[in-house]
Amino acid sequence: MIRTPQRWRRLDPDTGRYRRLSRNQNTGAGCGRACAVLGSVLVVVVAAGVPDPTVLYRVRDGAYAADLLIAAVVKFDLFTWLTAHGPVTSSDLRAGLGLAERPADVLLTYCAALGLVDRDLAAHDRVSVTELGRHHLVAGSSFDLRAYYKSLAERPAVGELAAVLRTDDQAAWASAKPGDDGVEPDWSSRLEDEAFAQRITAAMDARGAFLAPALAAAVVDVPVTALLDVGGSSGIYAAAVIAGRPSVRAAVFERPPVDAAARTLLDARGLSDRVDVVTGDMFTDPLPRGFDVHLYSQVLHDWDAQRVEQLLAASFAALPPGGVLVDHDAHVAADKRGPLPVAEYSVLLMHSTPGKCWSVAELTAMAGCVGFVDVEHRTAAGDRGVLLARKPG
């Protein structure tokens, strides 16, 4: 069984050796880590004086959250309905308001994180309005704010999110309109365009500068000989994990044209001799064998349950006995009541992809269903976490 270590190690850039740290110094937001390229080697450094950018991640990742609440209030009058009919199960709520399952789940998680509803998964996902919601978002209250929210009902994203709630069909990435520069609603299809693929790869690479070293610290005790970064974009996470492990090799598994963008970035960093790029489609091609750790860094949140299970099953088949699956992502708590920044990020994913931020309980169940054991969750930086699972043997 993989166990959470009581102490971690951090690479000291002055001595080239690891320094022992207590766990509370080395996990979570505010860890003060960054990636830097010194010569041709990507190393984990202690970025003295570098402010924690978690608040900036939250602003970007939560960009659609307010629009979802406006849609719930203005388009569905959620809290008035729930006051009249509740407490109800989430399935009855969906039937009563005409909501699709995935977006309704994201909405309820967000509202629970805001303190507007109480959600009890143990009681068949029973939902009820809290005093905050009852006083301020229900018809007839002396402090009813619904008219205040209605003043923003014409925001484009409000209409887009209302449509997603009803149909479960994703909207266009960043609310781009079909026909604008050949834009298609499906963000995944847009990755076939080289310019869009380069732009998204650069965006994900920028996000990883702070997050990747924190991931590496969170899995520093996990043995690895060869790491496969599935859907690994620029390869920044794989590079961080192997930075302090000179004998370990890694490969990024990516489809065209993202694979070309990854090769360019890795070559520019002088890492092409340690991190290979293998071209393939993770849904249609078998995952390469010969790797004892599979990493999914902020990949599973882009996909629905069926495809998440497909990826987990593919990793289980390709990993050797004792191999480890690492899912680095923003994870909803098992009770689906937060945390708020992750619930807000899940709204963006619900809007623009077939996915959402999966809960720790959901991922644990899916991993167990395909055969993984010893599932464990750890905290990383920037509201992200690491879920580990082992193939028996």
Side-chain angles (χ1 to χ4, degrees):
M1 177 176 179
I2 303 167
R3 300 185 183 277
T4 306
Q6 296 302 309
R7 299 183 67 83
W8 303 94
R9 300 184 299 164
R10 177 179 291 167
L11 188 66
D12 187 325
D14 297 321
T15 65
R17 297 181 178 179
Y18 281 104
R19 180 162 56 89
R20 304 293 289 187
L21 296 175
S22 63
R23 182 173 178 177
N24 62 5
Q25 288 177 297
N26 201 50
T27 58
C31 56
R33 304 181 191 88
C35 268
V37 179
L38 301 181
S40 62
V41 181
L42 184 71
V43 297
V44 181
V45 300
V46 181
V50 176
D52 181 349
T54 296
V55 65
L56 299 178
Y57 287 100
R58 290 175 177 173
V59 170
R60 184 270 186 192
D61 294 346
Y64 283 89
D67 291 305
L68 181 62
L69 182 58
I70 295 168
V73 171
V74 175
K75 303 294 186 180
F76 298 93
D77 204 6
L78 168 64
F79 303 97
T80 299
W81 185 94
L82 192 52
T83 297
H85 297 86
V88 296
T89 64
S90 61
S91 59
D92 287 341
L93 183 146
R94 295 197 309 270
L97 292 175
L99 306 180
E101 184 175 1
R102 176 188 67 110
D105 180 59
V106 172
L107 172 62
L108 291 176
T109 297
Y110 178 46
C111 290
L114 287 171
L116 296 172
V117 303
D118 183 57
R119 189 175 189 185
D120 187 355
L121 295 183
H124 306 288
D125 199 8
R126 186 180 62 193
V127 184
S128 57
V129 180
T130 64
E131 287 302 298
L132 178 64
R134 193 184 311 276
H135 276 86
H136 299 295
L137 295 173
V138 172
S141 169
S142 301
F143 304 97
D144 182 5
L145 289 171
R146 291 177 308 141
Y148 193 46
Y149 273 72
K150 191 174 183 179
S151 67
L152 295 178
E154 295 175 343
R155 286 170 57 87
V158 173
E160 293 167 2
L161 286 161
V164 175
L165 283 166
R166 293 188 180 101
T167 67
D168 200 23
D169 293 333
Q170 68 196 74
W173 181 261
S175 299
K177 300 302 179 185
D180 293 350
D181 298 324
V183 167
E184 295 186 19
D186 182 1
W187 73 272
S188 182
S189 297
R190 291 190 68 190
L191 286 174
E192 297 173 5
D193 175 72
E194 186 172 352
F196 182 78
Q198 289 177 344
R199 189 160 69 248
I200 290 295
T201 302
M204 301 304 102
D205 187 72
R207 174 177 65 181
F210 179 76
L211 299 181
L215 164 64
V219 298
V220 71
D221 63 316
V222 177
V224 53
T225 301
L227 180 145
L228 182 67
D229 192 355
V230 184
S233 191
S234 71
I236 192 168
Y237 296 98
V241 171
I242 71 170
R245 309 177 191 228
S247 63
V248 176
R249 62 185 178 89
V252 174
F253 190 69
E254 267 292 2
R255 67 180 188 176
V258 180
D259 60 338
R263 288 188 183 95
T264 299
L265 284 166
L266 289 167
D267 186 61
R269 289 171 170 154
L271 290 167
S272 55
D273 60 334
R274 293 202 62 201
V275 184
D276 193 13
V277 178
V278 179
T279 300
D281 187 314
M282 62 187 180
F283 291 115
T284 59
D285 297 320
L287 297 180
R289 294 182 180 265
F291 298 89
D292 57 348
V293 173
H294 281 193
L295 169 64
Y296 291 88
S297 184
Q298 298 167 105
V299 171
L300 300 183
H301 67 210
D302 288 332
W303 304 104
D304 58 26
Q306 180 179 354
R307 282 180 279 190
V308 171
E309 290 175 1
Q310 179 184 344
L311 292 173
L312 297 181
S315 281
F316 188 85
L319 282 166
V324 176
L325 175 84
V326 179
D327 175 48
H328 174 236
D329 215 325
H331 298 123
V332 168
D335 63 7
K336 292 191 175 183
R337 297 179 180 179
L340 180 58
V342 178
E344 291 174 333
Y345 186 27
S346 194
V347 177
L348 184 154
L349 297 166
M350 179 202 85
H351 171 275
S352 307
T353 79
K356 64 176 184 175
C357 288
W358 294 95
S359 77
V360 173
E362 287 171 324
L363 290 170
T364 298
M366 286 189 278
C369 185
V370 302
F372 286 104
V373 297
D374 299 337
V375 181
E376 173 192 342
H377 188 263
R378 302 176 178 182
T379 301
D383 299 314
R384 272 65 177 177
V386 179
L387 187 131
L388 300 170
R390 182 178 61 84
K391 181 174 178 176

